[in-house]
Amino acid sequence: MENHSAHSEHRDDEGSRLGMWVFLFTEMILFFGLFLVYAVFRAKHADDFHIAAQQFNVIIGAINTIILLISSATVAMSITAIQLNDRVKAIRLLWITIGLALIFLVNKYFEWGGKIDHMLYPGSDLVTSLKQGQILFFGLYYFMTGLHALHIVIGVTLLAYIASQVKKGKVNANDHVLLENGGLYWHLVDLIWIFLFPLLYLIT
Amino acid sequence: MQNTNYLYPKGLKGWLTSTDHKRIGVMYLIAIMVFFLVGGILGGIMKLELAQPGQQVMDAQTYNGLFTVHGIIMIFLVVIPGLSAVFGNFFLPIMIGAKDVVFPRLNLLSFYIYIVGACIAVLSQFAGSGPPDTGWTFYAPYSLESDTNVVMAVFAAFVLGFSSILTGLNFIVTIHRLRAPGMGWFKMPLFPWSLYATAWIQVLATPIIGITLLMIAAERFLNIGFFDPTLGGDPILFQHLFWIYSHPAVYIMILPAMGVITEIIPTFCQRKVFGYQAIVISSLAIAGVGYLVWGHHMFTSGMSDLSRWVFSLLTFIVAIPSAIKVFNWIATMYKGSIELRTPFLYTLSFIFQFMIGGITGLILGSLATDVHVHDTYFVVAHFHYIVFGGMGFAFFAAIHYWYPKMFGRMYNERRANWAWGVVFSGFTLLYFPMFILGLQGMPRRYFDYLPEYTFGHVLSSIGAAVLLTGLFMMVHTLLAGRNGKVAPANPWGGKTLEWTISSPPPLENFVEVPTITEGPYEYK
């Protein structure tokens, strides 16, 4: 029985990276479906989208964008650190990344909370009394940023797990493909936000 | 020596926790055959209801639930995973000379995700407010309004999508990284090639259905109105998103089937496959163009004339690579020394049914004729000819072809041939009358019909009984094969790598990793 679960050890970093890239394609296409919906409704209700987007605070959005960009840099630095065999620095940089992600989520929490206090959530009396395109815009806003926030949470969990593996020495200067893949995932989460930010906040 | 193959040691725990691709393939085989028989029996009950006009054994609402669960089981649990999960898992690594897939643990994980998804799908029938009645397509706005247990079924499809994506990802990386030394891309057998094309569709199309199903859930729980017109949404948009996945999904089903057929024909003709490169390129072309034809499901639901033209044209274009394959198969047989064994009988009926299904597909792809036959039994007949007559028969061909390799035993071929005869006649009798009924205007999804359609329906119901009998004969023959003659390593005289190792294959497939020097089908 034992020999069935423990195949002869086979390590293929190139394969793992390729697998991660293929997985990232699927994530991009997941969001692509939403961008498609956004594009269709924006084309149909350009004016409503314009009005609804003015409810959003560009400053908070911009701060969050900068936070995520920095966090992408820190995770990349962490990979360099492990390549240079500096485990302590790698772990520290990972925790900085996670901290930045949490700040992002806190900002998001206040932003959502503020909207909800102003009765701007799907199904509220205020929103249902708005014009069609505006209802759709708020729906898309919550759905897209909500799904993105879910990805942030998954990313944080993943990075925390990787940090523990670095600490145990399972991820080290010779074998760091797990950290690289975690970094790739984090860049993707960042990249998606780079699209969400202009679509929801900037194009008004 | 006897006990060194992958079937040993015995013991349930060893199977359920095994990351061996062969064991995972066999576990999928068992799960999928069980679901196939359940789905088939449900279909049989539908035909029982339709055997005479008026209400026979159930009311209309039950019938709605029945065709929905028949569709969900057959599409999401049987034909989408089908060939790639069972025979892809078992034979892809062997055929490319590898010891396993590249991520064996991920492979086991996708099996369990499949099982979880299947359990949720089954649960959706019993838990909550009654079995879903939307059809497997979950069309909005009805899927948003129906007070049956739609969300759970939708969630099951979402989970099953994950399993499909992970299997596809695993196969892509496996084919890139683990081909045996010397096996260049164009020395790879054609079943792995078809799995490669399929895997890309699985990876690139499935997320779209994932997000669409999430949107349905958000709409039902959170009042986010993407598709419901009263909340500002657009139901046609749902159809677009749904078919952006679900049309390519048809190619997820049929491409591996074509791959299996392409393996079987050279073996039983002892002849090199005709036009190897044309088959490879047509697989890739089907995968690519198949992405762009989804609109032909919606010719009558409101689209601009221009887009209908474009989708119709693309639909005709995607028929070309499929036809190329048929020509290749027939040209391979030409002047071959053909041996009519059981797998080859299934293969021949595959080609016959696939051509009927394909050409009737073009009738549906033409704008003018589609308006006439849309949403009639013609469509039902067409896709059962493709999905069952195509993918289903290819599955049967594959199981009869590889059975001796997988289990090291031979089934009783005479009985298997009889089963084939009954299955084939039952299939024809069940589905061919549906073409006529459809042309006469019989609408699909109705639990009752006008008296003038009685004759066709009666024929079809008799066909269903014959088909089910045949299927049970087939399964019985296969199960009885456990005690059959011991199979040699190469019972059919095949040339691909799986025939070079013992039957059943040893634990890590190859004692020595083979080095490839020539193409896969070098028959004398």
Side-chain angles (χ1 to χ4, degrees), chain B residues 243-277:
Chain B
W243 289 115
I244 286 177
Y245 164 71
S246 296
H247 193 79
V250 177
Y251 297 105
I252 294 179
M253 304 164 195
I254 201 70
L255 273 171
M258 293 166 155
V260 166
I261 299 304
T262 316
E263 292 298 332
I264 292 176
I265 289 179
T267 303
F268 290 97
C269 300
Q270 291 293 305
R271 201 161 173 276
K272 188 178 174 178
V273 74
F274 181 87
Y276 174 95
Q277 295 204 352

Side-chain angles (χ1 to χ4, degrees), chain A residues 10-16 18-19, chain B residues 96 98 102-103 170-180 185:
Chain A
H10 167 85
R11 188 180 143 200
D12 180 3
D13 289 354
E14 198 61 36
S16 303
L18 179 60
Chain B
I96 63 173
V102 68
F103 307 122
N170 218 335
F171 285 3
I172 289 174
V173 182
T174 302
I175 290 171
H176 272 272
R177 300 293 303 164
L178 296 185
R179 276 170 292 132
W185 281 96

Side-chain angles (χ1 to χ4, degrees), chain A residues 1 4-5 7-8 10 12 14-15 18-19 22-23 26 29-30 34 37 41 44 122 132 135-136 139-140 143 147, chain B residues 6 8-9 14 19 23 100 103 169 173 176-177 203-204 207 211 218 222 224-226 231-232 234 237 507-508:
Chain A
M1 237 174 287
H4 268 292
S5 41
H7 268 281
S8 55
H10 167 85
D12 180 3
E14 198 61 36
L18 179 60
V22 174
F23 177 71
T26 69
I29 289 168
L30 190 77
L34 282 175
V37 174
F41 287 141
K44 265 191 182 167
Q132 244 194 14
I135 306 178
L136 286 170
L140 274 169
F143 195 80
L147 192 64
Chain B
Y6 80 101
Y8 291 91
T19 54
R23 288 192 162 197
D100 206 321
F103 307 122
L169 186 155
V173 182
H176 272 272
R177 300 293 303 164
V203 163
L204 296 181
I211 195 73
L222 307 170
I224 300 183
F226 296 113
L231 293 169
D234 183 353
L237 187 63
L507 184 57
E508 290 198 322

Side-chain angles (χ1 to χ4, degrees), chain B residues 144-401:
Chain B
L144 308 170
E145 286 161 7
S146 166
D147 49 14
T148 57
N149 207 0
V150 175
V151 173
M152 204 178 225
V154 161
F155 186 62
F158 179 78
V159 172
L160 290 165
F162 261 101
S163 165
S164 183
I165 286 176
L166 293 178
T167 303
L169 186 155
N170 218 335
F171 285 3
I172 289 174
V173 182
T174 302
I175 290 171
H176 272 272
R177 300 293 303 164
L178 296 185
R179 276 170 292 132
M183 185 181 278
W185 281 96
F186 284 91
K187 285 200 177 105
M188 188 161 71
L190 288 159
F191 181 54
W193 258 116
S194 71
L195 289 170
Y196 185 69
T198 309
W200 274 111
I201 312 178
Q202 283 175 300
V203 163
L204 296 181
T206 315
I208 296 282
I209 193 76
I211 195 73
T212 310
L213 297 174
L214 281 184
M215 283 191 246
I216 291 254
E219 190 140 347
R220 285 188 70 119
F221 286 136
L222 307 170
N223 285 316
I224 300 183
F226 296 113
F227 308 125
D228 186 349
T230 57
L231 293 169
D234 183 353
I236 303 287
L237 187 63
F238 175 83
Q239 295 187 18
H240 277 291
L241 290 169
F242 181 82
W243 289 115
I244 286 177
Y245 164 71
S246 296
H247 193 79
V250 177
Y251 297 105
I252 294 179
M253 304 164 195
I254 201 70
L255 273 171
M258 293 166 155
V260 166
I261 299 304
T262 316
E263 292 298 332
I264 292 176
I265 289 179
T267 303
F268 290 97
C269 300
Q270 291 293 305
R271 201 161 173 276
K272 188 178 174 178
V273 74
F274 181 87
Y276 174 95
Q277 295 204 352
I279 295 180
V280 170
I281 292 166
S282 60
S283 287
L284 297 175
I286 289 174
V289 184
Y291 233 96
L292 307 171
V293 299
W294 78 85
H296 67 214
H297 294 268
M298 304 165 56
F299 284 155
T300 60
S301 21
M303 249 200 305
S304 74
D305 269 348
L306 178 66
S307 34
R308 298 200 311 156
W309 273 50
V310 172
F311 279 124
S312 181
L313 179 68
L314 287 167
T315 304
F316 274 75
I317 289 176
V318 85
I320 295 171
S322 313
I324 288 176
K325 282 174 186 281
V326 174
F327 291 130
N328 277 313
W329 294 327
I330 292 171
T332 306
M333 288 182 221
Y334 179 66
K335 286 190 174 170
S337 48
I338 294 176
E339 225 184 330
L340 274 181
R341 310 292 286 274
T342 318
F344 200 68
L345 289 175
Y346 279 105
T347 300
L348 289 179
S349 41
F350 168 92
I351 298 176
F352 177 70
Q353 284 152 184
F354 179 71
M355 285 199 299
I356 295 178
I359 289 166
T360 52
L362 290 179
I363 295 174
L364 291 161
S366 317
L367 295 175
T369 42
D370 180 66
V371 174
H372 180 65
V373 289
H374 184 84
D375 254 350
T376 68
Y377 266 43
F378 193 86
V379 179
V380 182
H382 156 71
F383 75 69
H384 280 91
Y385 259 81
I386 291 290
V387 175
F388 190 175
M391 186 276 170
F393 272 67
F395 193 94
F396 302 153
I399 185 76
H400 286 93
Y401 180 54

